[in-house]
Amino acid sequence: MKIKKAVFPVAGLGTRFLPATKASPKEMMPLVDKPLIQYVVEEAIDAGIEEMIMITGRGKNAIEDHFDISFELEHTLKGKNNNKLLEEVQRISNLVDFWYIRQKEPLGLGHAILRTKDLIGDEPFAVLLGDDIIHSNVPAIKQLIQVYEKYNASVIAVEKVDKKEISSYGVIAPKEIEDRVYQIMDMVEKPPPSEAPSDLAIIGRYILTPQIFEALEKTDADKSGEIQLTNGLRRLLKHQVIYAHQFEGKRYDAGNKLGFLKATVEFALRRPDLGKDFREYLRSLRVDEFMS
Ligand code: UTP
């Protein structure tokens, strides 16, 4: 069955970016001049997905406005004959349909995804997290769709991560099926390095079968009161085979400060309009002068 819908959970509090995220959504922070959420929406569009479902919460209205038409702005740009910018601001709202669902309280990623049960219905769907920005030739979610189409089962993106960082991720116990494709035998949320079943960490891209909803409904909240997607997937694993795909591309953890800075620098360096000047500026910097 074709993957037509993508879910974007954006109801988290973004505490790692306070105070910036006190009144503005983390997902609207820009890499150069484009908000994080737009990168992942464009990734889904490039993979042929037509319906975008955002799970929002309080204080996230800017996301809805961003993908809507902006009458005053478009009117002003038309008046100034600035067609290039006009096209740019109109492009996304014209391309696909957006749906918004509220998660009243941030009770975890699993809880957020469960909110979409009625809108998704009985079909497989994609999930993309704006915390993970992936630069690749083939959109990462499209790579997962290709694996889904071959095996007809849920597929989760994974990446090799340093042992010392592994305890920040969900980690899979893999059985290799083909190059870069694994059958998941088990998965653990944020294990201590000594207990991690592999160095393959779960990254924020998923193709999920609709049976995930039943699994999430039966999944208890953890100690922090949140329903974790990884725990829902573990339950699903008892009834269905789930695969992992080690995607090709460079992933940036834009949900933490250092990862966000790295992404900003590298995306700016890749930009045809900025890259050259920015590279010269970076070369001229005497970085040691900034250390006190
Ligand atoms: P994170 O825990 O990484 O994001 O959730 P966060 O909660 O926004 O950020 P920190 O950790 O407090 O800094 C991963 C993704 O799941 C969404 C988040 O918006 C993020 O995209 N999420 C998380 C929800 O939509 N609802 C939740 O209850 C929790």
Side-chain angles (χ1 to χ4, degrees):
M1 199 185 264
K2 188 176 175 329
I3 307 293
K4 289 185 293 203
K5 295 174 181 159
V7 170
F8 302 85
V10 293
L13 296 178
T15 47
R16 284 170 293 171
F17 269 103
L18 281 168
T21 48
K22 190 177 168 203
S24 353
K26 167 175 79 172
E27 296 77 13
M28 287 303 292
M29 296 202 309
L31 288 183
V32 188
D33 54 7
K34 197 156 68 175
L36 293 173
I37 188 70
Q38 190 173 336
Y39 283 92
V40 277
V41 165
E42 287 179 353
E43 182 182 323
I45 293 174
D46 290 345
I49 295 173
E50 293 149 13
E51 287 177 55
M52 311 295 164
I53 301 169
M54 302 264 169
I55 308 159
T56 69
R58 275 182 297 286
K60 302 277 181 171
N61 296 349
I63 297 175
E64 213 163 321
D65 291 341
H66 183 72
F67 292 109
D68 199 357
I69 59 162
S70 170
F71 185 77
E72 294 81 358
L73 177 64
E74 291 175 26
H75 182 74
T76 310
L77 291 174
K78 261 182 220 152
K80 291 184 173 166
N81 276 330
N82 195 337
N83 293 332
K84 196 162 170 267
L85 268 184
L86 182 65
E87 236 170 69
E88 178 65 36
V89 298
Q90 286 179 332
R91 192 168 51 95
I92 284 244
S93 49
N94 286 343
L95 271 179
V96 283
D97 284 329
F98 289 90
W99 305 85
Y100 295 89
I101 295 187
R102 276 297 253 241
Q103 184 189 20
K104 287 184 196 146
E105 276 183 89
L107 295 176
L109 180 56
H111 180 267
I113 289 174
L114 202 42
R115 302 302 101 213
T116 65
K117 184 181 171 196
D118 291 341
L119 251 184
I120 296 284
D122 195 23
E123 55 183 281
F125 61 102
V127 177
L128 297 92
L129 305 188
D131 284 353
D132 287 317
I133 299 295
I134 301 172
H135 176 78
S136 58
N137 292 332
V138 179
I141 199 70
K142 190 168 183 183
Q143 299 180 40
L144 262 63
I145 290 174
Q146 285 161 352
V147 177
Y148 164 80
E149 283 169 348
K150 185 161 176 190
Y151 293 97
N152 232 321
S154 296
V155 186
I156 298 175
V158 291
E159 181 182 80
K160 285 206 161 127
V161 160
D162 262 8
K163 264 265 141 91
K164 57 183 191 313
E165 287 169 19
I166 203 91
S167 53
S168 312
Y169 294 88
V171 183
I172 65 160
K175 182 174 137 199
E176 191 166 2
I177 300 291
E178 59 173 292
D179 188 32
R180 292 181 167 266
V181 179
Y182 305 89
Q183 184 181 337
I184 299 179
M185 308 314 286
D186 197 3
M187 53 186 103
V188 199
E189 182 66 10
K190 302 191 168 80
S194 57
E195 285 167 33
S198 74
D199 58 355
L200 288 168
I202 299 174
I203 303 303
R205 300 288 183 279
Y206 310 78
I207 302 296
L208 300 176
T209 57
Q211 285 72 31
I212 188 64
F213 294 119
E214 202 187 328
L216 284 170
E217 275 165 346
K218 290 184 179 150
T219 302
D220 292 326
D222 65 5
K223 275 181 269 163
S224 65
E226 295 192 351
I227 297 177
Q228 301 295 350
L229 177 59
T230 307
N231 292 338
L233 286 165
R234 261 193 112 191
R235 186 173 270 276
L236 184 61
L237 205 49
K238 291 182 190 154
H239 309 283
Q240 283 191 345
V241 179
I242 304 179
Y243 294 92
H245 179 48
Q246 196 186 343
F247 59 92
E248 293 193 47
K250 180 155 187 187
R251 198 251 330 177
Y252 301 87
D253 183 1
N256 83 52
K257 289 175 199 168
L258 186 59
F260 182 80
L261 285 172
K262 288 179 186 172
T264 302
V265 169
E266 295 186 24
F267 275 77
L269 284 170
R270 284 192 197 103
R271 282 275 292 253
D273 56 338
L274 289 169
K276 188 168 164 286
D277 290 347
F278 190 47
R279 194 170 305 122
E280 270 167 31
Y281 164 71
L282 289 180
R283 283 211 180 102
S284 75
L285 270 187
R286 301 161 72 111
V287 282
D288 294 343
E289 281 175 17
F290 292 85
M291 308 296 283
S292 53

